[in-house]
Amino acid sequence: MRTFRRALAVAVGTLSIGLAATACAPSNPDSGSGDGGGSADRITIGTTADVLNYNPLVGNSRTDTWVTNLMYPRLMGMGMDGVRTPYLATKWEYTNGGRTARVTLRDDFTWSDGQKVTAEDVAFTIDAVAKEKIGVVAGLISSYEKSTVISPTEIEFQLSQPDGTFLENVGFWMPVVPKHVFGTVGSVQKFANDSNWVSAGPYRLTTVERGQRYVLERVENFPLVPGGPKTKEVVFRVFPDVNTEALALRNGDIDLIANALPPPLAKTLESDSRIKLVSVPSLGWAHMQYNTKRKPLDRLEVRQALAAAVDYEAIRRVALQGKAVSSNSSVLTPTLKQWQDPTAKEYVHDPAKAKQLLTDAGFSDANGDGLFDGLSLRMIYDQADPNISKWAQLVRDSSKEAGIEIKLEGLERNTYVEKYTARDYDIYAGSWAIMENPPANLALAFKCGGFINYAQVCDPELDRLIDEARAQLDQASQKAPIQQAAKIISEKVYDNVLYVETFTIAHSAKWSNFVVQPSELLSIINPVSLAQATAD
């Protein structure tokens, strides 16, 4: 989901490096005290943003997630193909025809203040999310009615209807918070949680120096790594942009860059023996969505013409420098092999076809300027995202060849978020970070009134297929209706999926034993990975 948009703070054009000549790393707040890279007792990670929210149920930025993931457990983890794996939960199942879901927990998780993590914490968390309608998770658990704590390690959820997406959604997307802390503050959604942190992850936040660093100290009894976390401290240091992060990594001031590297920058680091690059598959996709409630984008022929105007291969070759693959214009991406539709085909780049579609739809070029009259569209994007900033220009240029004028509007991130949330755009260019459960994700993104339905799609047949898939309790039964739904999304151009990126994460060659997980949000910055990483 959109966690979630990528927010690297420099454009591709600035990344041709000479790093030493073009960037200066910020001062080290612990200069001389070992805060930089190279210490086996401390791993220092570069990020380009501060923590905005310490409440894991509310936080929505990448840095928020990287930090709070180390503190608050989830019921489930995720494998490289998006399949759920045990974390706090050891077992989960549906009963009563899918109207009841049961989860069994480990008994060896403990909060950092000594209290046990129990089913009471899970029940409190989901009730708070449902009651206060907190974030995307609330949209994912619309079938939830109530919880019954059976024992300290067993909990049962009552559902209003069979929902085969419920367990996976709760399992991965909902951090579990301590009832004895969050239950004393009134509104959970309004709780800042900005001091005296209590953690059941491998690390606990202890020091905050906004604009500089965030220090997390080891929690000795983290059970998922034998013997507990190997490194005493994790430090996130804040940098103005990815260029200065790369310089700091080369200088040994940090050990790891959290955010994925833009492809041009990744290439400059390939030959540096002090640095290792890790490839991480994306669980999301880059795309353009057309506002179907705005004329003329409410017309299928116009959306089809826009799709035909895009040079998809050029985007992957030029803007991504080969670090991306085609999704065959489908929302069922190659990363999720168990869901893919082998019959899906990518839209064909065909400017002549685009012109014919528009001509047949009644558009004309009366003044002979090469552009169809009355067809000038505004496309918004996050100007800090180097990849999208690059391919937005390619889309504008190839669309002009098809007689379509696209006016680019690169925006500061907060303004960009406000615009797409308010549906204030003609074309929206962006990316989903994690879309790993198609029945649930398509409901959020494409059903009438969906929580993140930014294209304002409202298609009864599409809704019916998504609901049919969600009502099934196993992936095999969900697959056929979801593939049909994905085909409708492609045929009606409700989402123009451009590519699935292969992320590159850089770390010091002195460090090893990382666990790679899919998506930029997990990569090697996930809790188990950092807890078991070791320095030579």
Side-chain angles (χ1 to χ4, degrees), residues 102-162:
R102 179 176 289 209
V103 173
T104 302
L105 310 178
R106 297 177 66 114
D107 63 1
D108 53 359
F109 267 75
T110 304
W111 297 107
S112 55
D113 62 2
Q115 295 204 34
K116 297 284 289 186
V117 179
T118 72
E120 291 284 356
D121 296 309
V122 178
F124 167 79
T125 304
I126 193 170
D127 282 342
V129 169
K131 179 181 178 181
E132 298 186 39
K133 295 181 170 53
I134 303 175
V136 173
V137 176
L140 289 168
I141 60 169
S142 57
S143 61
Y144 173 71
E145 289 190 331
K146 67 177 182 177
S147 299
T148 301
V149 174
I150 300 169
S151 75
T153 59
E154 293 177 287
I155 185 170
E156 192 169 82
F157 306 102
Q158 300 297 322
L159 308 180
S160 60
Q161 59 190 24

Side-chain angles (χ1 to χ4, degrees), residues 204-340:
R204 182 174 70 91
L205 186 60
T206 58
T207 302
V208 170
E209 296 174 13
R210 188 166 178 81
Q212 290 288 334
R213 64 175 191 159
Y214 299 81
V215 180
L216 297 99
E217 294 183 356
R218 175 168 60 194
V219 174
E220 299 289 347
N221 58 353
F222 182 64
L224 296 186
V225 174
K230 308 305 181 188
T231 303
K232 291 182 179 179
E233 287 185 349
V234 172
V235 179
F236 285 86
R237 282 186 57 197
V238 183
F239 291 83
D241 54 56
V242 71
N243 250 10
T244 48
E245 285 181 308
L247 176 61
L249 182 62
R250 278 182 157 169
N251 288 344
D253 293 328
I254 62 174
D255 303 297
L256 195 159
I257 297 176
N259 42 284
L261 301 178
L265 178 55
K267 284 188 176 296
T268 70
L269 299 178
E270 288 177 346
S271 60
D272 192 327
S273 61
R274 300 166 297 176
I275 295 171
K276 286 189 177 180
L277 302 181
V278 179
S279 292
V280 177
S282 173
L283 282 171
W285 60 81
H287 61 159
M288 290 186 295
Q289 287 193 303
Y290 309 114
N291 192 337
T292 62
K293 295 301 183 186
R294 284 195 177 180
K295 296 183 180 299
L297 295 165
D298 58 336
R299 301 178 63 179
L300 175 59
E301 307 97 314
V302 174
R303 300 196 301 272
Q304 289 174 328
L306 285 163
V310 177
D311 190 338
Y312 302 93
E313 184 56 36
I315 287 173
R316 293 189 291 267
R317 185 183 69 254
V318 177
L320 276 295
Q321 298 199 359
K323 294 289 186 179
V325 297
S326 171
S327 186
N328 294 317
S329 298
S330 173
V331 293
L332 302 178
T333 71
T335 307
L336 303 177
K337 294 181 174 59
Q338 67 273 29
W339 293 99
Q340 267 193 294

Side-chain angles (χ1 to χ4, degrees), residues 321-523:
Q321 298 199 359
K323 294 289 186 179
V325 297
S326 171
S327 186
N328 294 317
S329 298
S330 173
V331 293
L332 302 178
T333 71
T335 307
L336 303 177
K337 294 181 174 59
Q338 67 273 29
W339 293 99
Q340 267 193 294
D341 181 354
T343 68
K345 302 293 183 185
E346 185 168 75
Y347 301 134
V348 176
H349 174 224
D350 189 341
K353 177 183 176 182
K355 288 182 177 180
Q356 190 61 55
L357 282 164
L358 293 171
T359 300
D360 292 345
F363 290 90
S364 62
D365 176 17
N367 61 9
D369 65 354
L371 298 172
F372 286 98
D373 302 331
L375 194 58
S376 179
L377 303 170
R378 179 172 59 97
M379 182 163 81
I380 66 168
Y381 63 94
D382 181 355
Q383 64 186 6
D385 189 308
N387 292 340
I388 296 177
S389 295
K390 184 70 173 179
W391 63 250
Q393 298 175 46
L394 298 178
V395 168
R396 177 197 60 195
D397 295 346
S398 63
S399 296
K400 187 175 182 179
E401 294 176 15
I404 304 169
E405 181 181 45
I406 292 181
K407 295 180 178 179
L408 300 183
E409 192 170 332
L411 303 171
E412 179 272 331
R413 178 168 174 76
N414 288 338
T415 304
Y416 169 68
V417 172
E418 290 173 4
K419 291 281 189 182
Y420 71 63
T421 302
R423 281 62 167 171
D424 182 13
Y425 64 87
D426 297 320
I427 305 173
Y428 149 81
S431 62
W432 297 120
I434 299 181
M435 298 289 266
E436 82 309 338
N437 185 329
N441 303 149
L442 299 193
L444 286 172
F446 298 103
K447 276 195 66 176
C448 296
F451 188 79
I452 51 174
N453 183 352
Y454 297 115
Q456 304 193 81
V457 174
C458 197
D459 185 320
E461 176 62 9
L462 184 56
D463 285 4
R464 183 190 69 79
L465 290 166
I466 293 171
D467 287 340
E468 179 184 337
R470 292 187 69 190
Q472 305 304 313
L473 303 183
D474 61 275
Q475 187 260 325
S477 302
Q478 294 169 339
K479 187 173 183 176
I482 278 300
Q483 287 185 341
Q484 293 176 53
K487 189 166 292 187
I488 289 175
I489 292 168
S490 178
E491 289 175 348
K492 295 192 176 182
V493 201
Y494 291 144
D495 198 351
N496 189 350
V497 182
L498 304 177
Y499 59 82
V500 176
E501 187 172 357
T502 300
F503 298 121
T504 301
I505 306 295
H507 68 85
S508 166
K510 295 179 181 179
W511 286 83
S512 58
N513 297 320
F514 293 109
V515 176
V516 181
Q517 293 184 343
S519 86
E520 187 183 10
L521 275 179
L522 298 174
S523 65

Side-chain angles (χ1 to χ4, degrees), residues 1-14:
M1 274 148 252
R2 194 182 315 272
T3 324
F4 295 33
R5 298 279 174 184
R6 305 188 354 146
L8 306 177
V10 289
V12 168
T14 68

